[in-house]
Amino acid sequence: MRILSHNMLMCNVKGCGAGNFPLRLAGTPVQNESEFNQEFMSHMYSKLDWPALKQACGDVGITTLPEEPPANPEGNQEFLKTLHDIIIDTHIQQGSLTCNNCKRVYPINNGIPNMLLNENEV
Amino acid sequence: RMKEGEHIPTPDISHITCDPRFKDQVYDPSEDTFLFLDALELQKDFLKQLNPSLCLEIGCGSGCVITFLASILGSSSYYMATDINNVAANAALETARRNKISLDVINTDLLKHLIPRINKKVDVLLFNPPYVPTSEEEYLDSIKVEGNDMLSAAWAGGIDGRQVLDRLLPFIKEVISDNGCFYLVVVEENKPKEIARILLKDGFTGQIVKKRTARNETLSILRFDRKKASSG
């Protein structure tokens, strides 16, 4: 599971309200290397929840994310490359996602988060 | 599959039937799958000019279709898939890996946990739902989290083969981006005209991309786009 996917996931347990996004992330980040595409990263930047990204980086020990995005982030190649390394090239293979609100734990195995809920949680 | 011109090869899916981890537990790509691939190949030019950033397949099974889409579009997009079957989710990752595609798979029911974060962000949504008409009971049994036969969850569609799709339809207008589109596999029993009417009310126009009759099933691949205000 790449860091960008973490940015898209929240807790959907019945009755779980405020605090169900973002999920706390646990696991050892594994670095990959893929082709950088500036136009794509520029589009992706606009879809990001920045505080959630910062929290995820803090949770798994990624220190390369700047505190705040630069002025004109979509045009800043260096920034977008750093962002690419984090959200596209960093994977969590084994770990978990935990809801800050209801504390429900969703395991991540082989890079796949198991978000299936039990009957009483739906 | 026979095509003229630049042909995109069918992804390597040999592990679906050969690897003991997946054999008999993941929907084996069939006529519906291959029709979906043929349809996407026909849509190649449209998809390339759309230049999507986020492509998502619901119920990816073997991962064959999302992998094929990624082969068309390349690394200019982010690929995600969901499946309620954990074995299928793992199989889809293997399909992506073998075909050198980067894919994130979430083991979840439809788009649970992704909505509302993905709202207005999905540029290409793909869904080959469980479309076979069955009794409601057979459908409900297939999605029980514990002690169920995961393979039947791949095809059991309940009444009119619509009970899974109908759970998703209200969210199409929420998740699809402004210029995005939704590809859907249906059979005649699913009442495609009714599906089109429902989505039209939500602001989507539909078209048939490809149709085929095989083994007593008349399959269609539909594409839905947000209605654009007429210009001029």
Side-chain angles (χ1 to χ4, degrees), chain B residues 24-217:
Chain B
D24 298 330
Q25 295 177 81
V26 181
Y27 184 77
D28 189 14
S30 306
E31 293 302 324
D32 51 329
T33 320
F34 300 130
L35 185 67
F36 210 169
L37 301 189
D38 285 348
L40 290 175
E41 188 160 18
L42 279 176
Q43 294 275 294
K44 195 169 61 178
D45 292 342
F46 164 73
L47 289 165
K48 284 184 177 173
Q49 68 81 27
L50 181 67
N51 196 19
S53 305
L54 176 60
C55 300
L56 194 154
E57 181 173 13
I58 302 171
C60 62
S62 67
C64 187
V65 177
I66 187 73
T67 296
F68 187 76
L69 179 67
S71 305
I72 295 174
L73 293 169
S75 62
S76 60
S77 192
Y78 193 75
Y79 303 99
M80 294 179 78
T82 72
D83 206 290
I84 200 172
N85 176 350
N86 192 268
V87 177
N90 279 279
L93 268 195
E94 179 62 14
T95 301
R97 189 193 68 83
R98 284 186 177 217
N99 294 277
K100 306 203 182 343
I101 296 301
S102 232
L103 173 69
D104 275 20
V105 189
I106 318 282
N107 185 199
T108 190
D109 174 25
L110 298 180
L111 296 174
K112 276 212 176 78
H113 305 278
L114 289 167
I115 290 172
R117 280 296 297 143
I118 57 164
N119 284 3
K120 286 302 203 82
K121 296 187 176 97
V122 183
D123 299 311
V124 180
L125 185 69
L126 307 171
F127 194 22
N128 180 359
Y131 59 68
V132 177
T134 65
S135 68
E136 177 159 43
E137 192 183 353
E138 191 166 7
Y139 156 65
L140 291 173
D141 279 348
S142 76
I143 56 166
K144 276 208 179 75
V145 179
E146 284 116 21
N148 65 330
D149 165 21
M150 281 268 67
L151 258 190
S152 56
W155 53 263
I159 299 161
D160 293 334
R162 282 274 300 275
Q163 286 189 263
V164 181
L165 177 63
D166 284 354
R167 287 196 294 124
L168 174 73
L169 285 180
F171 296 99
I172 298 301
K173 62 183 174 297
E174 292 173 24
V175 306
I176 303 291
S177 61
D178 286 338
N179 292 318
C181 62
F182 170 42
Y183 290 96
L184 176 67
V185 181
V186 296
V187 288
E188 280 309 304
E189 291 88 337
N190 301 149
K191 304 180 184 169
K193 290 202 172 101
E194 187 182 84
I195 297 168
R197 267 200 308 273
I198 293 167
L199 286 175
L200 183 64
K201 278 209 188 100
D202 284 346
F204 287 83
T205 50
Q207 58 179 286
I208 300 171
V209 175
K210 199 158 171 70
K211 202 164 176 163
R212 180 180 295 154
T213 303
R215 287 201 255 193
N216 297 323
E217 273 184 346

Side-chain angles (χ1 to χ4, degrees), chain A residues 20-119:
Chain A
N20 59 0
F21 174 81
L23 300 168
R24 301 315 303 230
L25 183 59
T28 308
V30 175
Q31 211 60 31
N32 202 11
E33 214 173 296
S34 71
E35 200 186 320
F36 170 75
N37 182 315
Q38 177 146 351
E39 194 191 343
F40 162 71
M41 282 308 300
S42 183
H43 284 138
M44 270 314 168
Y45 171 77
S46 65
K47 298 183 209 258
L48 278 175
D49 183 293
W50 190 263
L53 177 59
K54 273 170 58 171
Q55 189 199 266
C57 289
D59 281 351
V60 296
I62 296 165
T63 55
T64 45
L65 187 76
E67 189 58 32
E68 290 304 327
N72 184 27
E74 286 95 340
N76 189 321
Q77 194 187 75
E78 200 180 307
F79 166 72
L80 290 176
K81 278 189 171 158
T82 303
L83 197 59
H84 168 100
D85 288 348
I86 295 168
I87 69 173
I88 305 295
D89 280 355
T90 307
H91 299 245
I92 305 291
Q93 288 296 109
Q94 299 297 125
S96 64
L97 297 161
T98 304
C99 180
N100 248 338
N101 183 37
C102 70
K103 311 302 176 197
R104 176 38 152 110
V105 178
Y106 302 95
I108 302 172
N109 287 306
N110 191 27
I112 299 167
N114 183 339
M115 312 300 294
L116 294 177
L117 299 176
N118 303 315
E119 279 179 29

